[in-house]
Amino acid sequence: MKSNIQMKNSYQKLEDNFGISRAVQLKMINDLHTEMSSGLIGQKSSLRMMPSFAEPPKGNETGKYLSLDFGGTNLRIAATDLMGNGNVVEICAEKKVIDKNVQAGSKENLFDFIAESLSDFIVKNDMNNSDDKLLGFTFSFPFEQLGLTSGKLLSWTKGFSVGGVVGEDVVKLLNESIAKKGIKNIKIVSLVNDTVGALAYGRYKNSGCDMSVILGTGTNAAYIEDVSKIKKYALGENLVGKMMVNTEWGNFSKLPRTAYDKKLDEATENSGLNMMEKMVSAKYVAELVKIIFSDFVDRNIFSVKIDKQEQAASLFAAENISEVVGDNSPELKFVEKELKSLGMNGTNLKDRILFKKICDDVMERSSQIIATMIVGVVLWMDPKFDKSHVVAIDGTLYEKASGYKKSLMKNVDNLLGNNAGKIALILSKDGSGMGAAITGATRGGVSDAKISRKLSAI
Ligand code: BGC
């Protein structure tokens, strides 16, 4: 068992490794701009900077739509009525957990699961015999958009490993399963990444919104770009106006990583990729805490040992970190409970304080990184902060983790200094799905025909 001083030193070392100084933040922003710039012109970059081929909505789009949001954890289907004037009414909605068999099964299994869920939703809500049902499809993975209603998956993230989908058009695969299932009159009118959906929804409701962030199982951001700056598909030539761009920032690689981050990455399906995502998002923060915890246990820094079997059986996840971070009881009762679930019984208050600090540090670093990235993207759009910006954020980590919203705002404002207050962060719950419907309704701007002509000319 280690002395108090050794415990303190180990903790101090962790804090030093996980802390992100202002100098590091400024360098990150610089590197972010270099990567954004290379990505937009199609040069090597850790940021894919994917054009969505959709212009930002105006807020006056109307009509009834279905939206199908395939995320990292859930599939959410909804029927929405776009009323114009920035109003969206959700008529009915349903959420299903995407289970492990679907995440790692065959492509037929995956798209049949989506089609079947859609079919059940339609039957349940008595829409079977209605005319054309316009559907916006949100697909929360990196894909290369080939038009507003077509896109090829580039790689899986967030632990998915379904065979045979990379390189395929996901709308085509979905349409095949819809046809197999015999669902009538479905017309897919848009394919969007969840960030683009969240941005479209944020913008529909608030004309000052020019960026979106997803902070859930995975992380990513989209923003509004001048079409003239998007050179990767020679799109910029004659086109003017604005387009929503999916940065795929989860893959940003210019970050100081610790030995713990490296260990976590080695154990993932997509090792070497999405380094930033693995430092911040809900799928990975709990893994990081467990890796640090095990290291501290192995080095006897806690006053007690653990039962390895109990630890292996633990379902410790982001929600549990949230409980630890939010525990302000004098004896840290919730922390004690979480430590028990990790196989550590008989802890004293110092052990609990140490574990809480580990969780606090992991979450604080997540919030600092995201704050830096948000400020970086806003500075890219508006280098002198000539105006205020609204960022629409969707995802469980932002919405539910104890203290996260507050900490993110604080970190954004700290970084902004004199410009503090010029970035507003708003929760945009389930915006990613509704945004697909809105994007389908927008249609104007860059048409599919123009895009395919440009793309085939590359
Ligand atoms: C994917 C993105 C997605 C993000 C949030 C990442 O793993 O690469 O496409 O937007 O998760 O869901």
Side-chain angles (χ1 to χ4, degrees):
M1 198 199 309
K2 300 265 159 123
S3 69
N4 283 348
I5 298 196
Q6 282 165 317
M7 202 183 223
K8 223 171 155 186
N9 285 346
S10 305
Y11 168 65
Q12 190 56 51
K13 202 161 161 219
L14 181 75
E15 194 160 65
D16 292 347
N17 280 334
F18 271 67
I20 305 225
S21 67
R22 192 174 173 85
V24 169
Q25 287 182 306
L26 297 179
K27 179 166 180 330
M28 268 174 68
I29 293 181
N30 227 354
D31 290 340
L32 176 73
H33 289 175
T34 310
E35 297 288 281
M36 286 175 83
S37 160
S38 305
L40 283 172
I41 59 175
Q43 281 179 359
K44 196 171 175 295
S45 167
S46 64
L47 297 185
R48 285 188 165 122
M49 306 298 288
M50 302 311 293
S52 66
F53 298 118
E55 64 176 349
K58 296 184 177 60
N60 59 3
E61 293 79 358
T62 53
K64 287 202 165 66
Y65 288 85
L66 288 174
S67 64
L68 204 159
D69 187 347
F70 185 76
T73 308
N74 299 305
L75 169 70
R76 190 172 191 279
I77 306 176
T80 50
D81 197 351
L82 311 181
M83 313 290 284
N85 300 321
N87 284 322
V88 185
V89 174
E90 199 169 79
I91 305 162
C92 47
E94 199 170 295
K95 200 151 124 178
K96 269 193 179 174
V97 173
I98 306 166
D99 70 33
K100 291 267 177 287
N101 298 336
V102 172
Q103 297 188 14
S106 69
K107 74 174 169 193
E108 289 75 20
N109 191 30
L110 165 66
F111 287 93
D112 289 355
F113 160 74
I114 303 179
E116 176 135 9
S117 309
L118 178 64
S119 166
D120 292 349
F121 180 83
I122 287 174
V123 171
K124 202 162 153 191
N125 293 292
D126 218 9
M127 289 187 250
N128 214 13
N129 293 316
S130 59
D131 299 341
D132 261 4
K133 291 175 271 292
L134 309 179
L135 181 132
F137 181 25
T138 306
F139 190 68
S140 307
F141 294 91
F143 58 85
E144 177 171 30
Q145 195 109 28
L146 303 171
L148 199 51
T149 54
S150 125
K152 269 198 261 175
L153 177 67
L154 293 169
S155 59
W156 284 118
T157 56
K158 298 177 279 200
F160 276 63
S161 59
V162 180
V165 189
V166 172
E168 296 285 311
D169 182 350
V170 293
V171 173
K172 187 171 155 272
L173 295 176
L174 179 57
N175 270 328
E176 282 168 9
S177 289
I178 287 176
K180 233 197 292 174
K181 194 77 208 140
I183 317 175
K184 287 183 287 178
N185 303 335
I186 290 279
K187 191 169 171 219
I188 299 180
V189 289
S190 69
L191 167 69
V192 296
N193 179 263
D194 50 354
T195 51
V196 172
L199 177 54
Y201 180 68
R203 180 78 168 195
Y204 189 76
K205 297 190 82 82
N206 182 335
S207 60
C209 175
D210 50 11
M211 180 179 177
S212 67
V213 172
I214 301 289
L215 204 41
T217 311
T219 186
N220 192 6
Y223 72 105
I224 296 177
E225 184 57 283
D226 292 332
V227 171
S228 61
K229 285 200 196 146
I230 309 171
K231 303 250 166 58
K232 63 193 302 173
Y233 295 137
L235 257 182
E237 276 170 28
N238 306 313
L239 296 172
V240 284
K242 305 271 185 190
M243 187 190 278
M244 295 184 280
V245 168
N246 162 18
T247 63
E248 284 296 333
W249 80 10
N251 193 43
F252 184 58
S253 60
K254 310 280 156 107
L255 287 158
R257 292 165 72 225
T258 66
Y260 298 123
D261 297 305
K262 290 177 190 151
K263 189 157 182 201
L264 179 140
D265 176 52
E266 279 159 20
T268 57
E269 286 84 355
N270 59 345
S271 176
L273 292 172
N274 281 36
M275 302 299 189
M276 192 276 254
E277 177 162 272
K278 290 172 189 164
M279 295 168 84
V280 306
S281 74
K283 177 160 178 65
Y284 302 102
V285 280
E287 290 312 309
L288 260 181
V289 166
K290 280 198 274 186
I291 290 174
I292 300 169
F293 174 67
S294 285
D295 176 48
F296 277 36
V297 168
D298 290 347
R299 292 193 286 131
N300 292 322
I301 292 165
F302 287 98
S303 73
V304 272
K305 296 236 171 240
I306 56 161
D307 177 334
K308 292 256 180 198
Q309 265 176 358
E310 263 186 73
Q311 187 194 21
S314 164
L315 292 174
F316 190 79
E319 297 88 283
N320 306 81
I321 301 190
S322 174
E323 194 162 52
V324 169
V325 171
D327 186 358
N328 293 317
S329 65
E331 294 297 312
L332 298 180
K333 285 287 163 210
F334 290 106
V335 182
E336 183 182 20
K337 188 187 95 196
E338 292 301 346
L339 279 167
K340 272 190 188 154
S341 83
L342 284 167
M344 186 175 265
N345 297 301
T347 55
N348 62 31
L349 188 58
K350 286 200 181 103
D351 294 321
R352 290 173 226 152
I353 292 175
L354 177 60
F355 186 64
K356 186 165 157 53
K357 282 185 165 167
I358 295 176
C359 294
D360 285 345
D361 278 1
V362 167
M363 294 306 265
E364 176 61 17
R365 185 182 68 162
S366 161
S367 145
Q368 280 196 332
I369 292 175
I370 292 296
T372 313
M373 299 293 283
I374 290 177
V375 173
V377 173
V378 170
L379 272 172
W380 170 266
M381 292 188 280
D382 181 8
K384 294 194 182 131
F385 269 112
D386 288 330
K387 54 180 186 139
S388 296
H389 300 262
V390 175
V391 181
I393 313 190
D394 197 3
T396 43
L397 202 65
Y398 181 72
E399 188 194 345
K400 299 200 174 128
S402 289
Y404 201 100
K405 277 196 203 101
K406 231 171 146 180
S407 144
L408 186 61
M409 194 66 252
K410 177 200 78 193
N411 283 322
V412 165
D413 277 341
N414 281 349
L415 199 48
L416 289 178
N418 290 341
N419 286 306
K422 282 205 168 167
I423 298 181
L425 308 178
I426 53 160
L427 176 67
S428 178
K429 195 165 163 45
D430 298 326
S432 50
M434 285 183 270
I438 296 166
T439 306
T442 306
R443 291 232 64 121
V446 187
S447 75
D448 273 16
K450 262 190 203 160
I451 292 153
S452 3
R453 217 183 45 236
K454 292 275 175 199
L455 285 176
S456 56
I458 299 171

